[in-house]
Amino acid sequence: MNEKVLIVDDEASIVTLLKFNLEKAGFVTDVAYDGLEAIRKTDKNNYDFIILDLMLPEMDGIEVCKQLRRNKIDTPVLMLTARDEEFDKILGLEIGADDYLTKPFSPKEVIARIKAILRRTTTSSINPTTRIKIGDLIIYPERYEAEKDEEVLAFTRKEFELLYYLAKNKDRVLSRDQLLSAVWDYDFVGDTRIVDVHVSHLREKIEPNTKKPIYIKTIRGLGYKMEDPT
């Protein structure tokens, strides 16, 4: 194991704790002590994982995560928050975080989360050679993109994984719990709002009219179904 992890936190004690335990577990570590330093480092270096504190000098964790995704840096992010900090899990996931933990935390739990997220990332069920066409929508798994009316559409990793899963199960009704299990990990099971939020984002990008969707249909009381527009 030589995965490189960037630790972004302004608390020296937290950094020391994480560095010691991650390196003991076989990870290579680097450190940034504020949000702007994190952006600079991710621009110049490739990381396999980022541990990102919510409250940071210069630029907070939410803004850092937004900037990373705007810069097309798709490295998995684990957000750290203090118990007394207001943190909306749905907002964090919306802007591109993959998971979050509250302080104080167990180093073993951090390592377990990192390994689980990396395992899901490296064993993705997406087949990069399979192009999917639904109506005027063409999905390119290898690029995590789709085209519609000759316009290239860009997605976050989770948006694309949800779109791909819906597309490869075209004409099947999928419950929110099925989608949670397939696209997200166990931590989000039961919190189906995240599915609704991501479906809403997909509709904004692919539907001609989000109030009358023709690609991703809501099946009342059951879930969602993707189908060819009629």
Side-chain angles (χ1 to χ4, degrees):
M1 182 188 299
N2 291 304
E3 288 94 343
K4 191 171 183 179
V5 179
L6 176 64
I7 303 166
V8 189
D9 201 304
D10 63 331
E11 294 184 56
S13 59
I14 296 292
V15 170
T16 300
L17 178 69
L18 288 171
K19 273 182 63 67
F20 174 80
N21 285 278
L22 286 169
E23 290 173 4
K24 186 178 178 182
F27 293 96
V28 176
T29 65
D30 194 6
V31 176
Y33 290 95
D34 64 61
L36 291 179
E37 184 183 7
I39 295 298
R40 287 194 294 270
K41 288 203 167 187
T42 53
D43 282 342
K44 295 178 180 178
N45 303 282
N46 293 320
Y47 298 100
D48 298 293
F49 202 91
I50 298 172
I51 299 174
L52 181 62
D53 189 34
L54 177 65
M55 298 301 293
L56 292 166
E58 306 298 337
M59 180 187 291
D60 67 29
I62 292 290
E63 288 303 316
V64 170
C65 199
K66 286 182 180 178
Q67 186 64 49
L68 291 175
R69 299 318 185 213
R70 282 196 293 266
N71 292 348
K72 307 298 183 184
I73 295 172
D74 209 25
T75 307
V77 171
L78 174 65
M79 191 81 75
L80 299 180
T81 72
R83 287 193 187 281
D84 59 351
E85 289 171 351
E86 288 190 10
F87 179 72
D88 185 331
K89 178 170 70 173
I90 299 302
L91 172 62
L93 297 171
E94 275 189 68
I95 54 90
D98 293 83
D99 205 346
Y100 82 106
L101 275 176
T102 55
K103 299 176 182 179
F105 52 78
S106 159
K108 288 183 179 180
E109 176 69 5
V110 173
I111 292 168
R113 296 286 185 101
I114 293 173
K115 288 181 177 179
I117 293 169
L118 288 175
R119 188 163 56 246
R120 290 198 309 275
T121 302
T122 56
T123 59
S124 171
S125 60
I126 290 178
N127 182 346
T129 64
T130 305
R131 189 186 77 163
I132 300 177
K133 188 175 188 303
I134 301 177
D136 294 328
L137 184 68
I138 305 173
I139 299 167
Y140 298 96
E142 75 280 5
R143 303 205 305 254
Y144 273 61
E145 291 178 346
E147 280 183 8
K148 184 172 178 291
D149 301 326
E150 299 184 353
E151 178 186 356
V152 176
L153 310 174
F155 303 91
T156 66
R157 184 173 62 252
K158 277 290 177 277
E159 286 172 359
F160 188 85
E161 288 174 359
L162 177 59
L163 176 66
Y164 181 79
Y165 191 78
L166 287 164
K168 73 178 183 178
N169 289 282
K170 184 168 72 79
D171 298 324
R172 286 184 56 197
V173 178
L174 301 168
S175 71
R176 290 171 174 82
D177 283 335
Q178 281 178 287
L179 294 169
L180 280 168
S181 177
V183 181
W184 286 270
D185 68 8
Y186 69 92
D187 188 54
F188 308 124
V189 171
D191 193 348
T192 57
R193 291 180 303 157
I194 189 60
V195 174
D196 298 332
V197 167
H198 278 68
V199 166
S200 176
H201 287 177
L202 289 179
R203 283 173 170 165
E204 288 172 2
K205 295 178 179 182
I206 70 173
E207 299 285 0
N209 183 349
T210 57
K211 294 182 179 178
K212 295 181 179 179
I214 59 175
Y215 287 97
I216 303 175
K217 298 288 186 69
T218 300
I219 310 302
R220 189 178 299 276
L222 295 174
Y224 295 102
K225 178 175 70 169
M226 192 163 194
E227 60 186 25
D228 282 300
T230 55

